[in-house]
Amino acid sequence: QVQLVESGGGAVQPGGSLRLSCAASGSIFRINNMRTMGWFRQAPEKQRELVATITTGGITNYGDSVTGRFTISRDNAKNTVYLQMNSLKPEDTAVYYCYAQSYGSFWGQGTQVTVSS
């Protein structure tokens, strides 16, 4: 199994920035064979949606609503994925979930991001 622990969420004003982190731990086999990692989010009464993903080799994919504002990165040595969020908007308010793929899909518990004036 893989455990994913997110950190860095909170409240920020529109136009502000936040950086999320997600550290993976658990089965040595699964950690050593980690594939895609990423972030999804879910706002109240909405479906979970893609924010960004990144492969082991660094290939990234972004949701349309965050392209140009958010940047995903990962440190393979630390088994950690990051999400730098800039120019935040109220519509970015959601619970952000870390995701990892390693012979199965794993999810973190989620971290709340609130963008409000």
Side-chain angles (χ1 to χ4, degrees), residues 13-95:
Q13 292 186 341
S17 299
L18 283 174
R19 189 189 193 213
L20 304 182
S21 300
C22 172
S25 63
S27 160
I28 293 175
F29 173 78
R30 293 188 189 276
I31 294 297
N32 289 342
N33 289 278
M34 193 72 71
R35 297 291 183 259
T36 297
M37 298 184 76
W39 297 90
F40 288 71
R41 68 187 183 186
Q42 188 166 16
E45 300 181 359
K46 291 189 177 180
Q47 290 188 331
R48 191 171 295 191
E49 65 174 359
L50 167 72
V51 177
T53 60
I54 184 168
T55 67
T56 305
I59 297 173
T60 59
N61 182 41
Y62 293 92
D64 290 342
S65 61
V66 306
T67 298
R69 300 186 297 122
F70 292 8
T71 303
I72 191 171
S73 61
R74 68 189 281 176
D75 185 334
N76 292 326
K78 295 182 178 180
N79 304 312
T80 300
V81 63
Y82 306 95
L83 184 69
Q84 178 66 44
M85 305 185 293
N86 298 329
S87 302
L88 283 161
K89 305 175 181 180
E91 50 264 45
D92 294 317
T93 296
V95 177

Side-chain angles (χ1 to χ4, degrees), residues 1-4 23-27 30-31 34 100-102 106-107:
Q1 295 296 319
V2 174
Q3 291 78 47
L4 301 172
S25 63
S27 160
R30 293 188 189 276
I31 294 297
M34 193 72 71
Q101 189 178 56
S102 178
F106 300 91
W107 295 90

